[in-house]
Amino acid sequence: MKLSLLQENLNLALGNVSRFVSSKSQLPILNNILLSTDQGRLKLSATNLDLSINYWIGAKIEEEGSITIPSKEITEFISYLPTGKLDLSVKENNLLTLSSEKTESNFTTMPAVDFPEFPSINPDTAFEIDLDVLTQAISQIAFSAALDDSRPVLTAILCQFSNDNLTLVATDGFRLSFKKIKLSNSLNLKTDKPITFLIPAKSLIEITKLAKNNKKIKIGLTSDEHQVVFILDDVELVSRLIEGDYPDYQKIIPESYNTKIYVNRDEFFQSVKIASVFAKESANVVRINIKSGILELSANAPQIGQNKASVDAKIEGENLDIAFNYKFLTDFLTICKSPEILIELNENLTPGFFHDQSDPSFTHIIMPVRLQD
């Protein structure tokens, strides 16, 4: 293998690809990045067996070939080099030589034949979607997915695609976010039934990080239907799918609400932040007393003190005393863009529905905390 390319392009590629290298694998080859020439470009590949990536960059190829190299060392080394042209070559002794204007270094490599093969997309299941539609939806709901693996299905985002609609749902069992939007362009699926995937939230978050300057993304299953493939202009991700039954979120949506609250987002957010100083020392609980045009927020931590603050609000319906985990409130308020939010409630132990008034397609649900009087 012999080629030349720019340090800045290789540095960016390694920074992205190295995130997918396995850090705990007992297979030494999975600590490596695969470098291979591919139709006039250099392809970098890595996998942790749950999520795999192919990443292409421009290069001047003189001799075709492929090798694997330890991710940590090559990524760090390239980051220290100055920008400009780099020459890469592999000789018969399997040493990778990297030469720049003032440096020459050699790295020991491992044979590419030992690196796992990546499955390809099944064209019969593939479809394209506007990338900004998908990434916006992911950014709004991914924070609600579970972080621990005690219930693997909750670490996934439910993704349901039909010809005219996209629905994404994420929950950790204590809160739930869902987004349902009507697509401006039909997906032209090869089936009349919605296509449903349970995709790890981590995989979809990676899509939002890598999807720069792309307008479309192709999505489809592998031939064994156990993995899903995402194809961008210069990036391909392969993610395992999670098996299991996802919670039926529609069962918890009531037909009506006893209390509706319209409140300024910034004022409410500030009061929650102030209350959080005390709530952190008392199971993260913020109590909200809803009455006559006012939300009274309070938090009590015996070892520190207590706090009480009021926020003006437009209230329709019954008064109510309810409590929430402040972290769940701040997560929602952080991604909310509307100057006014709508909160819909029924009882102090039934879910609260939080709406970003600027986006009717998005709803966030938080389970309340039992009050201790």
Side-chain angles (χ1 to χ4, degrees):
M1 183 169 72
K2 187 176 182 181
L3 59 95
S4 58
L5 74 176
L6 294 177
Q7 181 274 347
E8 47 267 43
N9 292 343
L10 182 58
N11 186 44
L12 176 62
L14 287 169
N16 284 313
V17 172
S18 62
R19 297 201 306 271
F20 300 84
V21 173
S22 177
S23 59
K24 300 178 181 178
S25 175
Q26 295 180 349
L27 298 173
I29 195 71
L30 296 186
N31 297 319
N32 286 12
I33 291 175
L34 171 66
L35 304 180
S36 57
T37 56
D38 184 16
Q39 298 180 350
R41 296 187 295 174
L42 178 66
K43 181 173 73 172
L44 293 82
S45 306
T47 182
N48 56 26
L49 299 184
D50 288 330
L51 187 59
S52 306
I53 185 170
N54 289 320
Y55 194 112
W56 288 266
I57 55 176
K60 182 181 178 182
I61 310 296
E62 294 185 39
E63 294 179 12
E64 304 284 344
S66 59
I67 50 95
T68 77
I69 187 167
S71 169
K72 182 179 178 181
E73 289 77 13
I74 190 63
T75 301
E76 183 179 11
F77 174 78
I78 294 298
S79 71
Y80 294 151
L81 295 179
T83 58
K85 181 184 175 184
L86 290 178
D87 294 314
L88 282 69
S89 62
V90 179
K91 299 189 170 67
E92 293 179 357
N93 55 7
N94 285 330
L95 283 179
L96 172 65
T97 301
L98 291 100
S99 304
S100 63
E101 184 179 356
K102 296 183 178 181
T103 66
E104 181 174 308
S105 305
N106 295 314
F107 285 85
T108 302
T109 68
M110 294 178 66
V113 69
D114 296 330
F115 202 81
E117 290 189 18
F118 292 0
S120 57
I121 195 169
N122 178 356
D124 292 336
T125 65
F127 59 90
E128 281 193 339
I129 187 171
D130 289 339
L131 185 60
D132 59 348
V133 170
L134 181 63
T135 55
Q136 181 187 4
I138 293 169
S139 65
Q140 285 180 291
I141 74 162
F143 68 90
S144 291
L147 298 177
D148 66 86
D149 293 326
S150 57
R151 292 181 64 188
V153 71
L154 298 186
T155 65
I157 292 178
L158 173 71
C159 303
Q160 189 172 75
F161 300 89
S162 64
N163 277 316
D164 301 313
N165 294 283
L166 167 64
T167 302
L168 276 76
V169 185
T171 182
D172 60 7
F174 302 99
R175 54 183 169 175
L176 183 148
S177 295
F178 70 90
K179 172 111 174 169
K180 184 174 183 178
I181 52 179
K182 187 171 181 61
L183 301 173
S184 56
N185 299 310
S186 175
L187 297 184
N188 297 317
L189 301 178
K190 298 177 177 66
T191 174
D192 293 331
K193 296 180 179 180
I195 297 175
T196 301
F197 303 139
L198 285 179
I199 304 173
K202 291 180 181 179
S203 301
L204 291 173
I205 291 171
E206 288 294 346
I207 290 293
T208 65
K209 292 178 181 178
L210 293 166
K212 307 296 184 184
N213 304 318
N214 285 255
K215 293 184 178 180
K216 293 280 187 177
I217 184 169
K218 181 182 287 188
I219 303 172
L221 295 174
T222 56
S223 58
D224 64 4
E225 298 188 351
H226 290 152
Q227 297 177 87
V228 61
V229 183
F230 302 91
I231 299 177
L232 298 164
D233 290 345
D234 299 313
V235 180
E236 181 178 283
L237 284 182
V238 183
S239 171
R240 70 181 177 95
L241 293 173
I242 293 179
E243 298 180 357
D245 296 323
Y246 203 78
D248 186 357
Y249 67 95
Q250 298 193 32
K251 286 185 177 179
I252 67 174
I253 301 176
E255 295 181 358
S256 61
Y257 302 91
N258 295 332
T259 304
K260 291 187 177 184
I261 304 161
Y262 298 86
V263 62
N264 181 276
R265 178 255 185 200
D266 292 342
E267 293 179 8
F268 185 54
F269 200 178
Q270 183 181 31
S271 295
V272 172
K273 288 178 181 177
I274 293 171
S276 73
V277 175
F278 300 86
K280 289 174 185 176
E281 304 300 325
S282 185
N284 297 331
V285 176
V286 171
R287 186 168 184 161
I288 305 176
N289 185 250
I290 303 157
K291 57 183 180 181
S292 58
I294 291 176
L295 301 183
E296 187 178 84
L297 283 73
S298 60
N300 183 23
Q303 65 274 41
I304 295 179
Q306 56 187 354
N307 158 261
K308 187 177 290 185
S310 297
V311 181
D312 293 334
K314 178 185 175 183
I315 299 171
E316 299 176 359
E318 302 176 6
N319 294 345
L320 187 64
D321 206 12
I322 195 168
F324 294 102
N325 184 318
Y326 87 88
K327 289 185 177 180
F328 297 166
L329 294 174
T330 55
D331 282 346
F332 165 74
L333 292 167
T334 297
I335 59 98
C336 186
K337 297 180 180 179
S338 174
E340 182 181 71
I341 64 169
L342 167 63
I343 307 171
E344 296 179 303
L345 305 168
N346 277 318
E347 300 174 355
N348 62 6
L349 290 179
T350 59
F353 287 70
F354 294 75
H355 304 275
D356 181 342
Q357 292 281 76
S358 67
D359 187 355
S361 66
F362 169 61
T363 298
H364 186 61
I365 303 170
I366 304 177
M367 288 298 299
V369 179
R370 185 179 295 274
L371 290 167
Q372 301 292 333
D373 291 319

